[in-house]
Amino acid sequence: MERDPNLVFSPRNGRVTRNGMTVELCIVRLEHGDEWTLEVVNQNGTSIVWDDPFDSDEAAFEEFERTIAEEGMEAFLDDARIIPFPRR
């Protein structure tokens, strides 16, 4: 029986607070993988995950920083990223 691979966590992970808003930053890869994923969890527990992987944890962190610089921490608010399903 094969076991699931372990996760490798970036040392960049942790809580990030800017402009009075705190998010949880999580950059991970599979133990035998080369690609890193980027996830940001906001104050309400909403998870925002980038579709495309990154070549390094540094590249993922730079994308997180770029997003804040261009869009602000507001990019991680619930109403900024959630697209509601149409109601009938």
Side-chain angles (χ1 to χ4, degrees):
M1 177 190 270
E2 272 187 58
R3 69 171 178 80
D4 289 335
N6 292 319
L7 293 177
V8 177
F9 294 91
S10 170
R12 300 256 190 205
N13 290 352
R15 292 183 181 273
V16 177
T17 302
R18 307 257 174 88
N19 300 332
M21 184 177 166
T22 301
V23 297
E24 187 73 28
L25 175 64
C26 189
I27 302 170
V28 299
R29 69 173 173 83
L30 298 177
E31 70 181 316
H32 299 296
D34 295 326
E35 296 180 323
W36 293 82
T37 61
L38 172 58
E39 176 185 23
V40 176
V41 180
N42 71 18
Q43 300 169 131
N44 296 325
T46 301
S47 170
I48 298 107
V49 179
W50 274 246
D51 290 332
D52 297 323
F54 298 89
D55 292 335
S56 67
D57 64 331
E58 181 64 28
F61 184 74
E62 288 172 4
E63 175 63 16
F64 170 72
E65 289 289 325
R66 184 200 63 75
T67 300
I68 293 172
E70 290 182 9
E71 302 178 42
M73 289 293 278
E74 295 78 16
F76 306 120
L77 293 175
D78 285 348
D79 59 356
R81 298 276 184 189
I82 295 176
I83 301 169
F85 285 105
R87 300 202 187 265
R88 295 180 187 209

Coordinates of all heavy atoms in Angstrom, one line a residue:
M1 N 0.8 -1.2 0.0 CA 0.0 0.0 0.0 C 0.9 1.2 0.0 O 1.8 1.4 0.8 CB -0.9 0.0 1.2 CG -1.7 1.2 1.3 SD -2.6 1.4 2.9 CE -4.1 0.5 2.6
E2 N 0.6 2.1 -1.0 CA 1.4 3.4 -1.0 C 0.8 4.4 0.0 O -0.4 4.5 0.2 CB 1.2 4.0 -2.4 CG 2.3 3.5 -3.4 CD 2.2 4.3 -4.7 OE1 2.3 5.5 -4.7 OE2 2.0 3.6 -5.7
R3 N 1.7 5.1 0.6 CA 1.3 6.1 1.5 C 1.2 7.5 0.7 O 1.8 7.7 -0.3 CB 2.3 6.3 2.7 CG 3.7 6.8 2.3 CD 4.5 7.1 3.5 NE 5.8 7.6 3.1 CZ 6.1 8.9 2.8 NH1 5.2 9.8 2.7 NH2 7.3 9.2 2.5
D4 N 0.4 8.4 1.3 CA 0.3 9.7 0.7 C 1.6 10.4 0.9 O 2.2 10.2 2.0 CB -0.9 10.5 1.4 CG -2.2 9.9 0.9 OD1 -2.3 9.3 -0.2 OD2 -3.2 10.1 1.7
P5 N 2.0 11.3 0.0 CA 3.3 12.0 0.2 C 3.1 13.1 1.3 O 2.0 13.6 1.6 CB 3.5 12.7 -1.1 CG 2.2 12.8 -1.8 CD 1.4 11.6 -1.3
N6 N 4.2 13.3 2.0 CA 4.2 14.4 3.0 C 4.2 15.7 2.3 O 4.6 15.9 1.2 CB 5.5 14.3 3.9 CG 5.5 13.0 4.7 OD1 4.5 12.7 5.3 ND2 6.6 12.4 4.8
L7 N 3.8 16.7 3.1 CA 3.8 18.1 2.6 C 5.0 18.8 3.2 O 5.4 18.6 4.3 CB 2.5 18.8 3.1 CG 1.2 18.4 2.5 CD1 0.1 19.2 3.1 CD2 1.2 18.5 1.0
V8 N 5.6 19.6 2.3 CA 6.8 20.5 2.7 C 6.2 21.9 2.8 O 5.7 22.4 1.9 CB 7.9 20.4 1.7 CG1 9.0 21.3 2.1 CG2 8.4 18.9 1.6
F9 N 6.4 22.5 4.0 CA 5.9 23.8 4.2 C 7.0 24.9 4.1 O 8.1 24.6 4.7 CB 5.3 23.9 5.6 CG 4.0 23.1 5.8 CD1 4.1 21.8 6.2 CD2 2.8 23.6 5.4 CE1 3.0 21.0 6.3 CE2 1.6 22.8 5.5 CZ 1.7 21.5 6.0
S10 N 6.7 26.0 3.5 CA 7.7 27.0 3.3 C 7.9 27.7 4.6 O 7.0 27.9 5.4 CB 7.2 28.0 2.3 OG 8.0 29.2 2.3
P11 N 9.1 28.2 4.9 CA 9.4 29.0 6.1 C 8.7 30.3 6.0 O 8.6 31.1 7.0 CB 10.9 29.1 6.2 CG 11.4 28.8 4.8 CD 10.4 27.9 4.2
R12 N 8.2 30.7 4.9 CA 7.5 32.0 4.7 C 6.0 31.9 5.3 O 5.4 32.9 5.3 CB 7.4 32.4 3.2 CG 8.7 32.5 2.6 CD 9.0 34.0 2.5 NE 10.2 34.2 1.6 CZ 10.8 35.3 1.7 NH1 10.5 36.2 2.6 NH2 11.9 35.5 1.0
N13 N 5.5 30.7 5.6 CA 4.2 30.6 6.0 C 3.9 31.3 7.4 O 4.9 31.4 8.2 CB 3.8 29.1 6.2 CG 3.7 28.3 4.9 OD1 3.8 28.9 3.9 ND2 3.6 27.0 5.0
G14 N 2.7 31.7 7.6 CA 2.4 32.3 8.9 C 1.3 33.4 8.7 O 0.8 33.6 7.6
R15 N 1.0 34.1 9.8 CA 0.1 35.2 9.7 C 0.8 36.4 9.2 O 1.9 36.7 9.6 CB -0.5 35.4 11.1 CG -1.4 34.3 11.6 CD -2.0 34.7 13.0 NE -2.8 33.6 13.5 CZ -4.1 33.5 13.2 NH1 -4.7 34.4 12.5 NH2 -4.7 32.5 13.7
V16 N 0.0 37.1 8.3 CA 0.5 38.4 7.8 C -0.5 39.4 8.0 O -1.7 39.3 7.7 CB 0.8 38.3 6.3 CG1 1.2 39.6 5.7 CG2 1.8 37.1 6.0
T17 N -0.1 40.5 8.7 CA -1.0 41.6 9.0 C -0.5 42.9 8.3 O 0.6 43.3 8.4 CB -1.1 41.9 10.5 OG1 -1.5 40.7 11.2 CG2 -2.1 43.0 10.8
R18 N -1.4 43.5 7.5 CA -1.2 44.8 6.9 C -2.4 45.6 6.9 O -3.5 45.0 6.7 CB -0.8 44.6 5.4 CG 0.4 43.6 5.2 CD 1.7 44.3 4.9 NE 2.8 43.4 4.8 CZ 3.2 42.7 3.8 NH1 2.6 42.9 2.6 NH2 4.2 41.9 3.8
N19 N -2.3 46.8 7.2 CA -3.4 47.8 7.2 C -4.6 47.2 8.0 O -5.8 47.4 7.7 CB -3.9 48.0 5.8 CG -2.9 48.7 4.9 OD1 -2.0 49.3 5.4 ND2 -2.9 48.4 3.6
G20 N -4.3 46.6 9.2 CA -5.3 46.2 10.1 C -6.0 44.9 9.7 O -6.9 44.4 10.4
M21 N -5.6 44.2 8.6 CA -6.2 43.0 8.2 C -5.1 41.9 8.3 O -4.0 42.0 7.8 CB -6.7 43.1 6.7 CG -7.4 41.9 6.2 SD -8.0 42.2 4.6 CE -8.4 40.6 4.1
T22 N -5.5 40.7 8.8 CA -4.7 39.6 9.0 C -5.1 38.4 8.1 O -6.3 38.1 8.1 CB -4.6 39.1 10.5 OG1 -4.2 40.3 11.3 CG2 -3.7 38.0 10.7
V23 N -4.2 37.8 7.4 CA -4.5 36.6 6.7 C -3.4 35.5 7.1 O -2.4 35.8 7.6 CB -4.4 36.8 5.1 CG1 -5.5 37.8 4.7 CG2 -3.0 37.3 4.7
E24 N -3.8 34.3 6.7 CA -2.8 33.2 7.0 C -2.2 32.8 5.6 O -3.0 32.5 4.7 CB -3.6 32.0 7.6 CG -2.7 30.8 8.0 CD -1.9 31.1 9.2 OE1 -2.3 31.9 10.1 OE2 -0.8 30.5 9.4
L25 N -0.9 32.9 5.5 CA -0.2 32.6 4.2 C 0.3 31.1 4.3 O 0.9 30.7 5.3 CB 0.9 33.5 4.0 CG 1.9 33.3 2.9 CD1 1.1 33.4 1.5 CD2 3.1 34.2 2.9
C26 N 0.0 30.3 3.3 CA 0.4 28.9 3.3 C 1.0 28.6 1.9 O 0.3 28.6 0.9 CB -0.8 28.0 3.6 SG -0.3 26.3 3.9
I27 N 2.3 28.3 1.9 CA 3.0 27.9 0.6 C 3.5 26.5 0.9 O 4.3 26.3 1.8 CB 4.1 28.9 0.3 CG1 3.6 30.3 0.2 CG2 4.9 28.5 -0.9 CD1 4.7 31.4 0.1
V28 N 3.1 25.6 0.1 CA 3.4 24.2 0.3 C 3.8 23.5 -1.0 O 3.4 23.9 -2.1 CB 2.3 23.4 1.0 CG1 2.0 23.9 2.3 CG2 1.1 23.3 0.1
R29 N 4.4 22.3 -0.9 CA 4.7 21.4 -2.1 C 4.7 20.0 -1.5 O 4.8 19.8 -0.3 CB 6.0 21.7 -2.8 CG 7.2 21.4 -1.9 CD 8.5 21.5 -2.8 NE 9.7 21.4 -2.0 CZ 10.3 20.2 -1.6 NH1 9.7 19.1 -2.0 NH2 11.4 20.2 -0.9
L30 N 4.5 19.0 -2.4 CA 4.6 17.6 -2.1 C 6.1 17.3 -1.9 O 6.9 17.9 -2.5 CB 4.0 16.7 -3.1 CG 2.5 16.9 -3.4 CD1 2.0 16.0 -4.5 CD2 1.7 16.7 -2.1
E31 N 6.4 16.4 -1.0 CA 7.8 16.1 -0.6 C 8.7 15.7 -1.8 O 9.8 16.0 -1.8 CB 7.9 15.0 0.5 CG 7.5 13.6 0.1 CD 7.6 12.6 1.2 OE1 8.6 12.7 2.0 OE2 6.7 11.8 1.3
H32 N 8.1 15.1 -2.8 CA 9.0 14.7 -4.0 C 8.6 15.6 -5.2 O 9.1 15.3 -6.3 CB 8.8 13.2 -4.3 CG 9.2 12.3 -3.2 ND1 10.5 12.3 -2.7 CD2 8.5 11.5 -2.4 CE1 10.6 11.4 -1.7 NE2 9.4 11.0 -1.5
G33 N 7.9 16.6 -5.0 CA 7.5 17.5 -6.1 C 8.4 18.7 -6.1 O 9.1 19.0 -5.2
D34 N 8.3 19.4 -7.3 CA 9.1 20.6 -7.5 C 8.3 21.9 -7.5 O 8.8 23.0 -7.4 CB 9.8 20.5 -8.8 CG 10.8 19.4 -8.9 OD1 11.4 19.1 -7.9 OD2 11.0 18.8 -10.0
E35 N 6.9 21.8 -7.6 CA 6.1 22.9 -7.7 C 5.4 23.3 -6.4 O 5.0 22.4 -5.6 CB 5.0 22.7 -8.8 CG 5.6 22.5 -10.1 CD 4.6 22.2 -11.2 OE1 3.6 21.6 -10.9 OE2 4.7 22.7 -12.3
W36 N 5.3 24.6 -6.1 CA 4.8 25.1 -4.9 C 3.4 25.7 -5.1 O 3.1 26.2 -6.2 CB 5.7 26.2 -4.3 CG 7.0 25.7 -3.9 CD1 8.1 25.4 -4.6 CD2 7.4 25.3 -2.5 NE1 9.1 25.0 -3.9 CE2 8.7 24.9 -2.6 CE3 6.7 25.4 -1.3 CZ2 9.4 24.5 -1.4 CZ3 7.4 25.0 -0.2 CH2 8.7 24.6 -0.2
T37 N 2.5 25.5 -4.2 CA 1.2 26.1 -4.3 C 1.1 27.3 -3.3 O 1.7 27.3 -2.2 CB 0.0 25.1 -4.0 OG1 0.2 24.6 -2.7 CG2 0.0 24.0 -5.0
L38 N 0.2 28.2 -3.6 CA 0.0 29.4 -2.8 C -1.4 29.5 -2.4 O -2.3 29.4 -3.2 CB 0.4 30.7 -3.6 CG 0.1 32.0 -3.0 CD1 0.7 32.2 -1.6 CD2 0.5 33.1 -4.0
E39 N -1.7 29.6 -1.1 CA -3.0 29.7 -0.5 C -3.0 30.8 0.5 O -2.1 31.0 1.3 CB -3.4 28.4 0.2 CG -4.8 28.5 0.9 CD -5.2 27.3 1.6 OE1 -4.3 26.5 2.0 OE2 -6.4 27.1 1.9
V40 N -4.0 31.6 0.5 CA -4.2 32.7 1.5 C -5.6 32.4 2.1 O -6.6 32.3 1.4 CB -4.2 34.1 0.9 CG1 -4.5 35.2 1.9 CG2 -2.8 34.3 0.3
V41 N -5.7 32.4 3.5 CA -6.9 32.2 4.2 C -7.2 33.5 4.9 O -6.4 34.0 5.7 CB -6.9 31.0 5.1 CG1 -8.2 30.8 5.9 CG2 -6.5 29.7 4.4
N42 N -8.4 34.1 4.7 CA -8.7 35.4 5.3 C -9.3 35.2 6.7 O -9.4 34.0 7.2 CB -9.6 36.2 4.4 CG -11.1 35.7 4.2 OD1 -11.6 34.8 5.0 ND2 -11.8 36.1 3.2
Q43 N -9.7 36.3 7.3 CA -10.2 36.3 8.7 C -11.5 35.4 8.9 O -11.8 35.0 9.9 CB -10.5 37.7 9.1 CG -9.3 38.6 9.1 CD -9.5 40.0 9.2 OE1 -8.9 40.7 10.0 NE2 -10.5 40.6 8.5
N44 N -12.2 35.2 7.8 CA -13.5 34.5 7.8 C -13.3 33.0 7.5 O -14.2 32.2 7.4 CB -14.5 35.0 6.9 CG -14.9 36.4 7.3 OD1 -15.0 36.8 8.4 ND2 -15.2 37.3 6.3
G45 N -12.0 32.6 7.3 CA -11.7 31.2 6.9 C -11.9 30.9 5.5 O -11.8 29.7 5.1
T46 N -12.1 31.9 4.6 CA -12.2 31.7 3.2 C -10.8 31.5 2.6 O -9.9 32.3 2.8 CB -12.9 32.9 2.5 OG1 -14.2 33.1 3.1 CG2 -13.0 32.7 1.0
S47 N -10.7 30.4 1.8 CA -9.4 30.1 1.2 C -9.3 30.6 -0.2 O -10.2 30.3 -1.0 CB -9.2 28.5 1.3 OG -8.1 28.1 0.5
I48 N -8.2 31.3 -0.5 CA -8.0 31.7 -1.9 C -6.7 31.0 -2.4 O -5.7 31.1 -1.8 CB -7.8 33.3 -2.0 CG1 -9.0 34.0 -1.5 CG2 -7.4 33.7 -3.4 CD1 -8.9 34.6 -0.2
V49 N -6.9 30.2 -3.4 CA -5.8 29.4 -3.9 C -5.5 29.7 -5.3 O -6.4 29.8 -6.2 CB -6.1 27.8 -3.8 CG1 -4.9 27.0 -4.3 CG2 -6.4 27.4 -2.4
W50 N -4.2 30.0 -5.6 CA -3.8 30.3 -7.0 C -3.9 29.1 -7.8 O -3.5 28.0 -7.4 CB -2.4 30.8 -7.0 CG -2.3 32.3 -6.8 CD1 -1.8 33.3 -7.7 CD2 -2.6 33.0 -5.6 NE1 -1.8 34.5 -7.1 CE2 -2.3 34.4 -5.8 CE3 -3.0 32.7 -4.3 CZ2 -2.5 35.4 -4.8 CZ3 -3.2 33.6 -3.4 CH2 -3.0 35.0 -3.6
D51 N -4.4 29.2 -9.1 CA -4.5 28.1 -10.0 C -3.2 27.5 -10.4 O -3.0 26.3 -10.5 CB -5.3 28.5 -11.2 CG -6.8 28.7 -10.9 OD1 -7.3 28.1 -10.0 OD2 -7.4 29.5 -11.6
D52 N -2.3 28.4 -10.7 CA -1.0 27.9 -11.3 C 0.1 27.7 -10.2 O 0.2 28.6 -9.3 CB -0.4 28.9 -12.3 CG -1.4 29.1 -13.5 OD1 -1.9 28.1 -13.9 OD2 -1.5 30.2 -14.0
P53 N 0.9 26.7 -10.3 CA 1.9 26.4 -9.3 C 3.1 27.3 -9.6 O 3.2 28.0 -10.6 CB 2.3 25.0 -9.5 CG 1.9 24.7 -10.9 CD 0.8 25.6 -11.3
F54 N 4.0 27.4 -8.6 CA 5.2 28.2 -8.7 C 6.5 27.3 -8.6 O 6.5 26.3 -8.0 CB 5.2 29.2 -7.5 CG 4.1 30.1 -7.5 CD1 2.9 29.8 -6.9 CD2 4.2 31.3 -8.2 CE1 1.8 30.7 -7.0 CE2 3.1 32.2 -8.3 CZ 1.9 31.9 -7.6
D55 N 7.6 27.8 -9.2 CA 8.8 27.0 -9.3 C 9.5 27.0 -7.9 O 10.4 26.1 -7.7 CB 9.7 27.6 -10.3 CG 9.2 27.4 -11.8 OD1 8.5 26.4 -12.0 OD2 9.6 28.2 -12.6
S56 N 9.2 28.0 -7.1 CA 9.9 28.0 -5.8 C 9.0 28.7 -4.8 O 8.0 29.4 -5.1 CB 11.2 28.8 -5.9 OG 10.9 30.2 -6.1
D57 N 9.3 28.5 -3.5 CA 8.5 29.1 -2.5 C 8.7 30.6 -2.5 O 7.8 31.4 -2.3 CB 8.7 28.6 -1.1 CG 10.1 28.8 -0.6 OD1 11.1 28.8 -1.4 OD2 10.3 28.8 0.7
E58 N 9.9 31.1 -2.9 CA 10.2 32.5 -3.1 C 9.3 33.1 -4.2 O 8.8 34.2 -4.0 CB 11.7 32.7 -3.4 CG 12.1 34.1 -3.5 CD 11.9 35.0 -2.3 OE1 12.0 34.4 -1.2 OE2 11.7 36.2 -2.4
A59 N 9.1 32.4 -5.3 CA 8.3 32.9 -6.4 C 6.8 33.0 -5.9 O 6.1 34.0 -6.2 CB 8.4 32.0 -7.6
A60 N 6.4 32.1 -5.1 CA 5.0 32.1 -4.6 C 4.9 33.3 -3.6 O 3.9 34.1 -3.7 CB 4.6 30.8 -3.9
F61 N 5.9 33.5 -2.8 CA 5.8 34.7 -1.9 C 5.8 36.0 -2.6 O 5.1 36.9 -2.2 CB 7.0 34.6 -0.9 CG 6.9 35.7 0.2 CD1 6.0 35.6 1.2 CD2 7.8 36.7 0.1 CE1 6.0 36.7 2.2 CE2 7.8 37.8 1.0 CZ 6.9 37.7 2.1
E62 N 6.6 36.1 -3.7 CA 6.7 37.3 -4.5 C 5.3 37.6 -5.1 O 4.9 38.7 -5.2 CB 7.8 37.2 -5.5 CG 9.2 37.3 -4.9 CD 10.3 37.0 -5.9 OE1 10.0 36.8 -7.1 OE2 11.4 37.0 -5.5
E63 N 4.6 36.5 -5.5 CA 3.3 36.7 -6.1 C 2.3 37.3 -5.0 O 1.5 38.1 -5.3 CB 2.8 35.4 -6.7 CG 1.3 35.5 -7.2 CD 1.1 36.5 -8.3 OE1 2.1 36.9 -9.0 OE2 -0.1 36.8 -8.6
F64 N 2.4 36.7 -3.8 CA 1.6 37.2 -2.7 C 1.9 38.7 -2.5 O 0.9 39.5 -2.4 CB 1.9 36.4 -1.5 CG 1.3 36.9 -0.2 CD1 0.0 36.8 0.1 CD2 2.1 37.5 0.8 CE1 -0.6 37.3 1.3 CE2 1.6 38.0 2.0 CZ 0.2 37.9 2.2
E65 N 3.1 39.1 -2.4 CA 3.5 40.5 -2.2 C 3.1 41.4 -3.4 O 2.6 42.5 -3.2 CB 5.0 40.6 -2.0 CG 5.6 40.0 -0.7 CD 5.2 40.9 0.5 OE1 5.1 42.1 0.3 OE2 4.9 40.3 1.5
R66 N 3.2 40.9 -4.6 CA 2.7 41.6 -5.8 C 1.2 41.9 -5.7 O 0.8 43.0 -6.0 CB 3.1 40.9 -7.1 CG 2.7 41.7 -8.3 CD 2.6 40.8 -9.6 NE 1.5 39.8 -9.5 CZ 0.2 40.1 -9.6 NH1 -0.2 41.3 -9.8 NH2 -0.7 39.1 -9.5
T67 N 0.5 40.9 -5.3 CA -1.0 41.0 -5.2 C -1.3 42.1 -4.2 O -2.2 43.0 -4.4 CB -1.6 39.7 -4.8 OG1 -1.3 38.7 -5.8 CG2 -3.1 39.8 -4.6
I68 N -0.6 42.1 -3.1 CA -0.9 43.1 -2.0 C -0.5 44.5 -2.6 O -1.2 45.5 -2.4 CB -0.1 42.8 -0.7 CG1 -0.7 41.6 -0.1 CG2 -0.2 44.0 0.2 CD1 0.1 41.1 1.1
A69 N 0.6 44.6 -3.3 CA 1.1 45.9 -3.8 C 0.1 46.4 -4.8 O -0.2 47.6 -4.9 CB 2.5 45.8 -4.4
E70 N -0.4 45.6 -5.7 CA -1.3 46.0 -6.8 C -2.8 46.1 -6.4 O -3.5 47.0 -6.8 CB -1.2 45.1 -8.0 CG 0.1 45.1 -8.7 CD 0.2 44.2 -9.9 OE1 -0.8 43.6 -10.3 OE2 1.3 44.1 -10.4
E71 N -3.3 45.2 -5.5 CA -4.7 45.2 -5.2 C -5.0 45.5 -3.7 O -6.1 45.7 -3.4 CB -5.3 43.8 -5.5 CG -5.1 43.4 -7.0 CD -5.6 42.0 -7.2 OE1 -6.7 41.7 -6.7 OE2 -5.0 41.3 -8.0
G72 N -4.0 45.5 -2.9 CA -4.2 45.7 -1.5 C -4.7 44.5 -0.8 O -5.0 43.5 -1.4
M73 N -4.7 44.5 0.5 CA -5.2 43.4 1.3 C -6.7 43.1 1.1 O -7.2 42.0 1.3 CB -5.0 43.6 2.8 CG -3.5 43.6 3.3 SD -2.8 41.9 3.1 CE -3.4 41.2 4.7
E74 N -7.4 44.1 0.5 CA -8.8 43.9 0.2 C -9.0 42.8 -0.8 O -10.1 42.3 -1.0 CB -9.4 45.2 -0.3 CG -9.4 46.4 0.7 CD -8.0 47.0 0.9 OE1 -7.1 46.9 0.1 OE2 -7.9 47.7 1.9
A75 N -8.0 42.5 -1.6 CA -8.1 41.4 -2.6 C -8.5 40.1 -1.9 O -9.0 39.2 -2.6 CB -6.7 41.2 -3.3
F76 N -8.2 40.0 -0.6 CA -8.5 38.7 0.1 C -9.8 38.7 0.9 O -10.1 37.8 1.6 CB -7.3 38.4 1.1 CG -6.0 38.3 0.3 CD1 -5.0 39.2 0.7 CD2 -5.8 37.5 -0.7 CE1 -3.8 39.2 0.0 CE2 -4.6 37.5 -1.4 CZ -3.6 38.3 -1.0
L77 N -10.6 39.8 0.8 CA -11.9 39.9 1.4 C -12.8 38.9 0.7 O -12.7 38.7 -0.5 CB -12.4 41.3 1.4 CG -11.7 42.3 2.2 CD1 -12.3 43.7 2.0 CD2 -11.7 41.9 3.7
D78 N -13.8 38.4 1.4 CA -14.8 37.5 0.8 C -15.5 38.1 -0.4 O -15.6 37.4 -1.5 CB -15.9 37.1 1.8 CG -15.4 36.1 2.9 OD1 -14.3 35.6 2.7 OD2 -16.1 35.9 3.8
D79 N -15.9 39.3 -0.4 CA -16.6 39.8 -1.6 C -15.7 40.2 -2.7 O -16.2 40.5 -3.8 CB -17.5 41.0 -1.2 CG -16.7 42.2 -0.6 OD1 -15.5 42.0 -0.4 OD2 -17.3 43.2 -0.3
A80 N -14.4 40.1 -2.6 CA -13.5 40.5 -3.6 C -13.3 39.3 -4.6 O -13.0 39.5 -5.8 CB -12.1 40.9 -3.1
R81 N -13.4 38.1 -4.1 CA -13.1 36.9 -4.9 C -14.2 35.9 -5.2 O -14.1 35.1 -6.0 CB -11.9 36.2 -4.3 CG -10.6 37.0 -4.2 CD -9.9 36.9 -5.4 NE -8.6 37.6 -5.3 CZ -7.8 37.8 -6.2 NH1 -8.1 37.5 -7.4 NH2 -6.7 38.5 -6.0
I82 N -15.2 36.0 -4.4 CA -16.3 35.0 -4.5 C -17.3 35.4 -5.6 O -17.8 36.6 -5.6 CB -17.0 34.9 -3.1 CG1 -16.0 34.3 -2.1 CG2 -18.3 34.0 -3.3 CD1 -16.6 34.1 -0.7
I83 N -17.5 34.5 -6.5 CA -18.5 34.8 -7.5 C -19.7 33.9 -7.2 O -19.7 32.7 -7.2 CB -17.9 34.4 -8.9 CG1 -16.7 35.2 -9.2 CG2 -19.0 34.5 -10.0 CD1 -15.9 34.8 -10.4
P84 N -20.8 34.5 -6.8 CA -22.0 33.7 -6.4 C -22.6 33.0 -7.6 O -22.6 33.5 -8.7 CB -23.0 34.8 -5.8 CG -22.5 36.1 -6.4 CD -21.1 35.9 -6.7
F85 N -23.2 31.8 -7.3 CA -23.9 31.1 -8.4 C -25.2 31.8 -8.6 O -25.9 32.3 -7.6 CB -24.2 29.6 -7.9 CG -23.0 28.8 -8.0 CD1 -22.3 28.4 -6.9 CD2 -22.5 28.3 -9.2 CE1 -21.2 27.6 -6.9 CE2 -21.4 27.5 -9.3 CZ -20.7 27.1 -8.2
P86 N -25.7 31.8 -9.8 CA -27.0 32.5 -10.1 C -28.1 31.7 -9.4 O -28.1 30.5 -9.3 CB -27.2 32.4 -11.6 CG -25.9 31.8 -12.1 CD -25.1 31.3 -11.0
R87 N -29.0 32.4 -8.9 CA -30.2 31.8 -8.2 C -31.4 31.8 -9.1 O -31.6 32.7 -9.9 CB -30.6 32.6 -6.9 CG -29.4 32.6 -5.9 CD -29.9 32.8 -4.5 NE -28.8 33.0 -3.6 CZ -28.3 32.0 -2.9 NH1 -28.8 30.8 -3.0 NH2 -27.3 32.3 -2.1
R88 N -32.1 30.7 -9.1 CA -33.3 30.6 -10.0 C -34.5 31.0 -9.3 O -34.7 31.0 -8.2 CB -33.4 29.2 -10.5 CG -32.3 28.8 -11.4 CD -32.4 27.4 -11.8 NE -31.2 27.0 -12.5 CZ -31.2 26.1 -13.5 NH1 -32.3 25.5 -13.9 NH2 -30.1 25.8 -14.1

